[in-house]
Amino acid sequence: MIRVKNLTKKYGELKAVDDVTFDVHTGDILGFLGPNGAGKTTTVRIITCFLLPTAGWVEVDGLNVFEHSLEVRKKIGYLPENAPLYSEMNVLDYLHFIMGVRGILKDRWSQRTKEMINICGLGPVVNRNIGELSKGFRQRVGLAQAMVHDPEVLILDEPTSGLDPNQIAEIRSLIKELGKEKTVILCTHILPEVEATCKRVLIINEGKIVADGSPAELQASFQGKEQIYIELKTPFTDVESKLANLENVEKVKEILTNGDDLKKFTIECARGVDLREGLFRLAVDNNWVLLEMRKEQASLEDVFRQLTTS
Amino acid sequence: MSSHVVVFCKKELRSFFDSPIAYIVITTFLLISGWFFFSDLFLVNQASLRNLFDIIPFIFMFFVPAVTMRLISEEKRSGTIEILLTLPVKDYEIILGKFLAGLILIVVAVLLTLVYTFTLSGLGDLDFGSVVAGYIGLIFLGATYLSVGVFTSSFTQNQIVAFITSFAIIFALYMLNKVLMFVPNFLASFFEYLSVDYHFSNISRGVIDSRDVIYYLSLVFFFLFLAVRALESRKWR
């Protein structure tokens, strides 16, 4: 659906986007991740025909963004960062304005407006001025604006910023729903959002793509240490040193020891080494009561931090 | 005309008339022009609109930039331009729609001064040919000022900058034929030709010459063209 090839954008000497190549297929929900200033917004602005690249090209549904700019823009619904809207207009007028520009026939307006009000939950604010709305409602008006022409491609730049947890959950389930038939690009730096909604993740750092895959694949590719969490019950105090002396153990960190016999540790070892059997035997030999033991999954956050800090 | 231009024009007109902008601007315009008009009328004691036609080009210098200053700069400042320019419309349609909305506001303001004209026609004989020509001239003049304002509004996100620069350009265009004595002879006719006031006084004498009309239309086209280019320049920056 969207093909981005060798895309480069320079602002003066600064390379905001540096030789980026990726494809997005119909029905994908792509999480476009990166720290602030990594080049997410610039890439998205090129796809939406707001900016021209310095080099490389973008195709949406087989149409080049330079040669068929208007056709491409018809296929895309775009919610820019912070949902910039006309604050002096009321919600209904604004949606009508967008439908007018989008060339939606007037006899479909009222039906389309109703649908948008339902989907985005705009009922209570239809006749209010956009300037008076809370940030959550503004985001939803922005979302309605992006979806009103039923686009094939939906590009959302940080759609949940400034929303409360309930609204965030609503928007996420909405995006998931939309992603069943449409192509969605979701720019964000909020990682749980990606884990909750995206089938595919693209991480960009300093203008370059540093990771591309499903959230599970990215977690599997994590290069850090393996961690095991263990909870023991024992009156002995030499537990930590005994753990540290176990073969293959690289680091032992005590999490909590209160006055009771309860002791909690995280134990680090190299990737691919399974310590669990050894730990079990050690506990049995020393007569420690093993209450809990689990392998810690590398979170997307760990992956993200590893790839975007150097 | 493309339906997009109409949509943009309507939207802009609504935001003029939904906010106090249109009313404040029109009322102030009528008060100032009316005051100048009537305060001189009884001194001269002659039924002529000369005075009105002399003062309006001057008032427009402030009035028109006040109308145009926010047209595009505000979209840039608030970021709404990002949605606007990713809609399936051509850049020139946006510029033209906004320009036409401004023009309608100006025409409304100018036509409201007809009240003065009718008052005057009750007091003495009016040369209606030159009155009609004068009004047409005012609208051409207003359109030219507007195109300058749309242009300056399109290259900045600061309304004050847009206002001051459009005022400066309009002032220069207006003053060109008043500084002829300081200009070398071979440039004098050129300066005169470029001056908006020179062409306006031609028309308001009652003769609508195609040369004057072409002059105004080409200035409007020139500045609107620059505005479109300023809008497009974002792409390469």
Side-chain angles (χ1 to χ4, degrees), chain A residues 86-156:
Chain A
Y86 299 109
S87 50
E88 79 278 6
M89 279 179 116
N90 80 33
V91 175
L92 200 61
D93 286 344
Y94 182 68
L95 290 180
H96 286 169
F97 166 65
I98 297 288
M99 285 191 278
V101 179
R102 290 273 184 196
I104 296 171
L105 294 177
K106 261 202 169 139
D107 41 328
R108 288 193 53 217
W109 281 17
S110 69
Q111 187 217 341
R112 217 40 215 150
T113 313
K114 257 184 221 150
E115 285 170 20
M116 285 303 114
I117 289 170
N118 276 336
I119 295 175
C120 302
L122 293 173
V125 297
V126 194
N127 292 311
R128 299 254 305 269
N129 271 5
I130 293 173
E132 303 166 3
L133 300 185
S134 67
K135 185 133 196 234
F137 273 118
R138 284 236 298 275
Q139 288 283 356
R140 293 199 229 177
V141 176
L143 211 55
Q145 164 276 132
M147 296 192 305
V148 75
H149 57 299
D150 200 19
E152 295 164 55
V153 178
L154 203 55
I155 298 178
L156 309 172

Side-chain angles (χ1 to χ4, degrees), chain B residues 49 52-53 110-111 113-114 117 130-139:
Chain B
L49 284 173
L52 192 64
F53 290 150
V110 166
L111 290 184
T113 64
L114 280 173
T117 311
S130 70
V131 169
V132 171
Y135 272 98
I136 292 175
L138 276 184
I139 288 166

Side-chain angles (χ1 to χ4, degrees), chain A residues 197-240:
Chain A
T197 48
C198 298
K199 294 175 197 159
R200 210 177 124 208
V201 179
L202 208 60
I203 300 181
I204 187 170
N205 187 38
E206 290 171 358
K208 291 196 169 81
I209 302 271
V210 289
D212 181 357
S214 69
E217 281 166 9
L218 292 192
Q219 281 164 5
S221 74
F222 183 64
Q223 297 291 315
K225 304 286 179 202
E226 209 148 318
Q227 280 192 344
I228 289 176
Y229 171 83
I230 191 169
E231 219 174 287
L232 300 164
K233 199 171 166 190
T234 171
F236 301 114
T237 49
D238 57 348
V239 179
E240 190 167 352

Side-chain angles (χ1 to χ4, degrees), chain A residues 45 50 73 78 86 93, chain B residues 14 75 82 85 87 234:
Chain A
R45 281 180 171 173
F50 185 71
R73 288 188 243 171
Y78 177 38
Y86 299 109
D93 286 344
Chain B
R14 278 202 73 152
E75 303 245 17
E82 203 172 334
L85 293 177
L87 290 169
R234 77 184 184 274

Side-chain angles (χ1 to χ4, degrees), chain B residues 42-80:
Chain B
F42 300 104
L43 281 176
V44 184
N45 226 354
Q46 191 185 12
S48 158
L49 284 173
R50 197 62 264 150
N51 206 286
L52 192 64
F53 290 150
D54 278 347
I55 196 65
I56 288 182
F58 194 72
I59 302 173
F60 267 1
M61 263 193 243
F62 306 92
F63 172 80
V64 173
V67 170
T68 56
M69 64 180 187
R70 54 169 279 288
L71 278 178
I72 297 160
S73 60
E74 177 62 17
E75 303 245 17
K76 289 192 164 187
R77 193 197 55 77
S78 68
T80 49

